[in-house]
């Protein structure tokens, strides 16, 4: 819910992925290899498991923290769009009942209101794309760490947001250490799938199947005055679906490395601190920078 008041870190990763994305024809680019087929199967299993857990009251607690994280993405998207439109962000709050509120003054409501649903859908799609590659998942984790810091700043004294963000940061750091980052890739993929699915369900539930007067779509309909909230809900649902599909297609087109190649690349790109690869890289400038970044990510995920 939203309320208002009056590089190239390493050339072995980003440049090659962009080059492949731009130079291959569509058919070869979107045809999954063995590693990508495994990723698609895992994503499909995520969708099935999330769908089952969603409707079983007791088991739904398993995915409850990830639901709250998606709500956090929603509110964070409101806040970042507010910043881009010169708004003053007062606070971000998460509700234990899977609600949330972003309080701001100023900004452009025509942009800040849709940013919640569409922004969290876009974040989910980006995480799905990054979930096809280990190094991309590492970069996504660093970006998430930056977002988390901003969210904690805006959350101020909201204890639930602090517990959620610090817990998720710790989980990301933990998975970074498992199998050289392979586990992190599947965690990032899960968070992306969860975010996209939650957004789709939330749009349908709040704006299409039932009209919620306090929803973003209802407030957007009031300031526009031309269409009911259900119309905007359908439009946002369509855009969110496009983001979901686009996340998968970008992942297929950009990350064609096999599991073995990803493992080899990951061993020298932001390696786990203390590993043999990390020690070997300390003699080079790029290795030192990688280690510093890895330590920073670790510190961001540890409750202080």
């Amino acid at each position: 819910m939203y309320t208002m008041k009056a590089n190239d870190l390493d050339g072995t990763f980003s440049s090659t992925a962009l080059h492949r994305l731009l130079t291959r024809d569509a058919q070869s680019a979107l045809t999954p290899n063995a590693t990508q087929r495994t990723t698609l199967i895992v994503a499909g299993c995520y969708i099935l498991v999330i769908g089952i857990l969603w409707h079983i009251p007791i088991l739904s607690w398993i995915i409850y923290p990830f639901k709250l994280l998606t709500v956090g993405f929603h509110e964070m998207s409101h806040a970042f769009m507010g910043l881009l439109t010169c708004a003053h962000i007062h606070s971000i709050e998460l509700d234990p009942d899977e609600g949330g509120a972003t309080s701001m003054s100023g900004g452009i409501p025509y942009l800040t209101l849709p940013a919640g649903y569409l922004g969290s859908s876009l974040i989910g799609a980006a995480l799905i794309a990054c979930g096809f590659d280990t190094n991309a998942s590492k970069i996504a984790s660093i970006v998430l760490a930056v977002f988390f810091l901003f969210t904690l700043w805006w959350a101020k004294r909201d204890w639930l947001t602090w517990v959620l963000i610090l817990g998720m940061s710790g989980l990301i750091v933990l998975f970074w250490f498992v199998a050289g980052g392979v586990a992190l890739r599947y965690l990032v993929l899960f968070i992306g799938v969860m975010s996209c699915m939650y957004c789709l369900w939330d749009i349908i539930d709040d704006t299409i199947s039932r009209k919620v007067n306090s929803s973003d779509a209802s407030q957007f309909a009031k300031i526009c005055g031309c269409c009911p909230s259900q119309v905007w809900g359908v439009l946002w649902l369509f855009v969110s679906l496009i983001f979901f599909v686009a996340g998968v297609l970008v992942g297929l087109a950009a990350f064609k490395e096999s599991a073995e190649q990803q493992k080899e690349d990951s061993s020298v790109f932001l390696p786990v601190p203390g590993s043999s690869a990390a020690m070997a890289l300390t003699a080079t400038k790029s290795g030192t920078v990688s280690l510093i970044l890895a330590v920073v990510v670790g510190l961001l995920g540890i409750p202080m």
Side-chain angles (χ1 to χ4, degrees):
M1 187 183 71
Y2 164 79
T3 58
M4 285 195 65
K5 298 181 179 179
N7 132 65
D8 195 2
L9 290 177
D10 191 328
T12 61
F13 162 66
S14 59
S15 59
T16 55
L18 180 61
H19 175 73
R20 290 171 181 171
L21 181 62
L22 296 177
T23 57
R24 285 198 307 268
D25 61 273
Q27 182 175 359
S28 63
L30 299 179
T31 300
N33 57 30
T35 300
Q36 290 178 322
R37 283 195 294 271
T38 300
T39 303
L40 290 174
I41 292 172
V42 171
C45 291
Y46 284 163
I47 293 174
L48 179 62
V49 171
I50 290 172
I52 293 174
L53 295 179
W54 201 293
H55 297 92
I56 300 179
I58 297 178
L59 296 181
S60 64
W61 283 96
I62 297 175
I63 59 174
Y64 175 74
F66 296 97
K67 286 184 177 182
L68 283 182
L69 181 61
T70 299
V71 175
F73 288 157
H74 180 107
E75 303 305 332
M76 186 169 59
S77 298
H78 280 311
F80 271 94
M81 182 56 69
L83 282 183
L84 293 177
T85 56
C86 301
H88 175 68
I89 311 302
H90 299 290
S91 64
I92 286 180
E93 296 180 3
L94 298 184
D95 190 292
D97 294 328
E98 300 174 26
T102 299
S103 177
M104 69 175 73
S105 299
I108 303 176
Y110 292 99
L111 297 178
T112 56
L113 283 169
Y117 291 123
L118 301 185
S120 53
S121 295
L122 182 59
I123 291 172
L127 293 177
I128 289 174
C130 290
F132 280 81
D133 184 84
T134 304
N135 285 345
S137 297
K138 290 182 178 181
I139 292 177
S141 299
I142 295 174
V143 175
L144 282 179
V146 175
F147 284 152
F148 288 168
L149 286 176
F150 276 100
T151 303
L152 289 179
W153 173 259
W154 288 323
K156 299 185 184 302
R157 298 181 180 179
D158 182 32
W159 66 269
L160 181 61
T161 304
W162 276 81
V163 170
L164 174 69
I165 295 300
L166 293 178
M168 283 296 169
S169 299
L171 188 63
I172 289 174
V173 172
L174 176 63
F175 274 60
W176 194 312
F177 279 75
V178 178
V182 175
L184 177 66
R185 179 165 78 87
Y186 289 109
L187 176 63
V188 169
L189 180 66
F190 178 81
I191 295 175
V193 171
M194 182 72 200
S195 182
C196 284
M197 288 189 65
Y198 192 97
C199 291
L200 294 175
W201 170 253
D202 208 25
I203 292 174
I204 293 173
D205 187 50
D206 285 351
T207 66
I208 299 177
S209 63
R210 63 189 180 96
K211 182 178 179 181
V212 180
N213 292 327
S214 59
S215 71
D216 297 336
S218 297
Q219 295 187 46
F220 192 79
K222 290 180 181 178
I223 65 174
C224 287
C226 59
C227 300
S229 61
Q230 288 86 346
V231 173
W232 296 113
V234 171
L235 177 60
W236 296 351
L237 178 66
F238 181 71
V239 175
S240 296
L241 282 171
I242 292 177
F243 286 160
F244 199 162
V245 175
V248 175
L249 296 181
V250 170
L252 289 174
F255 306 115
K256 287 295 185 182
E257 291 81 5
S258 65
E260 292 75 17
Q261 291 172 322
Q262 290 189 33
K263 183 178 180 180
E264 181 179 353
D265 293 342
S266 177
S267 66
V268 296
F269 182 82
L270 297 179
V272 174
S275 66
S276 57
M279 293 301 181
L281 286 175
T282 54
T284 65
K285 180 178 179 180
S286 60
T288 302
V289 173
S290 296
L291 285 175
I292 292 174
L293 288 175
V295 171
V296 169
V297 173
L299 291 175
L300 292 178
I302 300 176
M304 299 299 293

